[in-house]
Amino acid sequence: MSDMKATVVPTEQGFSVCGYEKIEYDFEFLDGVFHVENQQLAKYYQKWERCLAVMDLNIFNLYGLQMQNYFDQHGIKLKMHKTMIGEKAKSMKTLLEIVDTMTDFGLYRKEPLLVVGGGLVTDVAGFACAAYRRNTNYIRIPTTVIGLIDASVSIKVAVNYGRYKNRLGAYHPPLRTFLDFTFLRTLPAAQIRNGFAELIKISSCAHKSTFDLLDRYCENLIDTAFGRLDNAPEDIKMVADQIMLDRVIAYGHTWSPLHELVPETPLRHGHAISIDMAYSATLSRLRGLLSPADHERILNLFSRAGLSMDHHQFDGLLLERATSAILKTRDGKLRAAVPVSPMGKFPRKGDGLDAYVDASDTGYTVQGAPVENCLAKNSQNSIDCASDSRGLDSFKKVERITLKDYSSKIRGVS
């Protein structure tokens, strides 16, 4: 929630306004948020005696009946808006569909919308709340690794526009966020892997002890859904609970925002940022900031996790366009976050496992194929990105040197 306070002071020419916005939002760890005995969520809706929930189709299929029973038992009328959001459908059209449902429901500005799903759903629905009556409350329940450790931690909400990722958005904190890691039990392994990239991003820059745990238990954490599966060894559960989640947001997000949407079937977010992070780590090594041993260790962890480190469309032309775009976002400065020291061999030579979006991301298929494939065929493949020369020439010099070295390193060429 936010609280704006302002003062107005007369001046010789008119008056001056000085305002400050106080932002407060809470997180609560609660396994089994939809278990009837857990009343924490219901308390927010008892006043209204009703709840409008926005969720993706996968969540409805898995938890819809449990959610309905939860609210029924607490005497709260539940209405569900089911959406199908893939990266291509993270759009104004999807946002307006949510807004139409909010209007039909007659949602009050202080009445919290319930948002349940991964980072795509919380981003779009959160932006809808930021725009609706200028400031509508909402409660977040993230259900994916990325949602639990990244998207739900931030107050940034957005939609894509054209070929640009998160081009339209706002800063809008939720009333509360419930973190229920038992959702990982039903999360596909491909989505666990997708979120693993965010943990590498955070830990390799800011929390060495967490990086050490990821490096030691990489495959076990992925295979057991971070210790949430019933057959998970007790030591893996303890390791998963020890992982600290400090955040260095910019690492992996310099060139990936443009690259993520370039392939006909979009890359998953985790794979797009892992390519960016691998390249950024290589730049750091060439600049003498990252030791060869730490560089090898980072790339090896990506590979063991099945994350992408290279892509045939991650080339000089894309780097130039993506650099031009990010310079506008960062006020003409590159500000490329890279890992530094102190902080093997690659089984997959740069290719990732489950790198592209499919029905587990979008929630539905068309004739047995992921809907993203159909959407992509009808969309333009061109990248519209205005040129910006500020800081670009110096980057091009680095890029000419490093791109060849980067590709050679990832693909095992000496």
Side-chain angles (χ1 to χ4, degrees):
M1 262 177 30
S2 61
D3 181 24
M4 173 67 80
K5 298 185 182 299
T7 58
V8 181
V9 179
T11 65
E12 291 183 3
Q13 293 79 24
F15 57 90
S16 173
V17 178
C18 181
Y20 297 92
E21 185 176 17
K22 181 182 180 181
I23 295 176
E24 293 181 322
Y25 58 108
D26 296 324
F27 299 86
E28 181 174 344
F29 292 97
L30 178 63
D31 282 354
V33 64
F34 293 125
H35 291 179
V36 174
E37 64 271 19
N38 292 330
Q39 302 180 30
Q40 292 91 322
L41 175 62
K43 288 178 180 178
Y44 285 92
Y45 295 96
Q46 286 170 344
K47 169 186 174 181
W48 307 96
E49 298 182 343
R50 64 177 191 168
C51 171
L52 174 59
V54 174
M55 69 197 73
D56 65 46
L57 185 60
N58 282 334
I59 292 301
F60 172 76
N61 291 336
L62 290 169
Y63 297 100
L65 291 178
Q66 184 181 3
M67 290 177 62
Q68 187 66 62
N69 180 64
Y70 176 84
F71 284 99
D72 286 346
Q73 292 297 317
H74 288 283
I76 298 168
K77 185 178 179 179
L78 176 65
K79 178 179 175 59
M80 300 187 223
H81 174 97
K82 299 177 285 293
T83 187
M84 297 172 284
I85 301 180
E87 196 65 54
K88 293 285 188 180
K90 186 182 176 183
S91 63
M92 283 300 297
K93 179 178 181 295
T94 304
L95 180 145
L96 292 175
E97 290 171 353
I98 295 172
V99 167
D100 287 342
T101 299
M102 294 164 72
T103 299
D104 293 341
F105 187 76
L107 193 74
Y108 290 86
R109 189 165 66 92
K110 296 297 184 182
E111 182 180 8
L113 181 74
L114 178 60
V115 183
V116 187
L120 293 173
V121 175
T122 57
D123 268 8
V124 177
F127 188 26
C129 289
Y132 196 74
R133 303 187 192 277
R134 297 192 183 97
N135 183 7
T136 296
N137 281 336
Y138 69 112
I139 291 174
R140 283 189 301 207
I141 302 180
T143 59
T144 64
V145 177
I146 286 183
L148 286 161
I149 68 172
D150 184 62
S152 69
V153 180
S154 171
I155 65 172
K156 296 186 296 182
V157 291
V159 297
N160 300 336
Y161 181 73
R163 300 291 291 185
Y164 298 98
K165 185 175 173 64
N166 297 330
R167 180 51 56 97
L168 304 176
Y171 293 93
H172 186 53
L175 186 63
R176 196 172 191 83
T177 297
F178 290 97
L179 301 175
D180 182 354
F181 284 84
T182 63
F183 285 115
L184 299 186
R185 292 170 176 265
T186 55
L187 196 65
Q191 293 293 347
I192 300 288
R193 183 175 291 111
N194 189 33
F196 202 87
E198 290 286 351
L199 285 170
I200 298 176
K201 174 192 79 173
I202 297 164
S203 62
S204 61
C205 284
H207 210 280
K208 183 178 181 298
S209 62
T210 297
F211 186 85
D212 290 340
L213 290 173
L214 297 177
D215 190 20
R216 182 175 179 182
Y217 297 101
C218 169
E219 293 84 356
N220 302 102
L221 289 168
I222 293 173
D223 292 342
T224 64
F226 286 88
R228 262 54 189 188
L229 296 184
D230 291 335
N231 61 348
E234 203 57 40
D235 62 328
I236 299 300
K237 293 180 182 177
M238 294 177 61
V239 167
D241 291 339
Q242 290 174 29
I243 291 176
M244 301 294 290
L245 304 178
D246 198 358
R247 307 184 72 248
V248 179
I249 296 174
Y251 184 36
H253 290 70
T254 300
W255 300 285
S256 65
L258 194 65
H259 181 228
E260 184 170 346
L261 300 180
V262 167
E264 184 173 353
T265 300
L267 285 166
R268 287 190 165 105
H269 180 67
H271 288 264
I273 68 168
S274 65
I275 292 170
D276 187 315
M277 286 190 284
Y279 182 68
S280 299
T282 302
L283 284 178
S284 183
R285 194 207 70 184
L286 292 173
R287 294 281 184 95
L289 302 173
L290 187 69
S291 70
D294 284 343
H295 181 233
E296 293 276 347
R297 189 181 180 199
I298 290 174
L299 297 188
N300 190 54
L301 182 54
F302 283 131
S303 187
R304 288 170 54 204
L307 291 164
S308 303
M309 294 186 291
D310 198 7
H311 189 274
H312 68 280
Q313 289 175 293
F314 191 76
D315 55 18
L317 179 61
L318 181 135
L319 285 167
E320 182 176 334
R321 289 172 170 168
T323 299
S324 176
I326 203 66
L327 286 173
K328 292 183 175 69
T329 300
R330 298 176 181 173
D331 296 324
K333 297 180 180 180
L334 189 60
R335 295 194 183 102
V338 298
V340 298
S341 292
M343 293 219 341
K345 298 177 182 178
F346 316 130
R348 271 175 293 280
K349 298 189 182 298
D351 295 327
L353 299 177
D354 308 311
Y356 298 94
V357 298
D358 59 21
S360 70
D361 301 88
T362 62
Y364 66 119
T365 61
V366 174
Q367 296 179 342
V371 71
E372 299 288 359
N373 291 357
C374 302
L375 293 174
K377 291 177 182 177
N378 295 325
S379 64
Q380 294 181 350
N381 291 324
S382 60
I383 306 172
D384 299 322
C385 184
S387 176
D388 188 338
S389 60
R390 293 178 297 171
L392 195 54
D393 290 339
S394 60
F395 168 75
K396 287 179 181 177
K397 294 176 183 177
V398 175
E399 183 267 318
R400 291 191 191 103
I401 299 171
T402 60
L403 188 61
K404 179 180 178 182
D405 179 271
Y406 165 75
S407 297
S408 299
K409 188 70 180 175
I410 296 300
R411 299 189 181 283
V413 178
S414 59

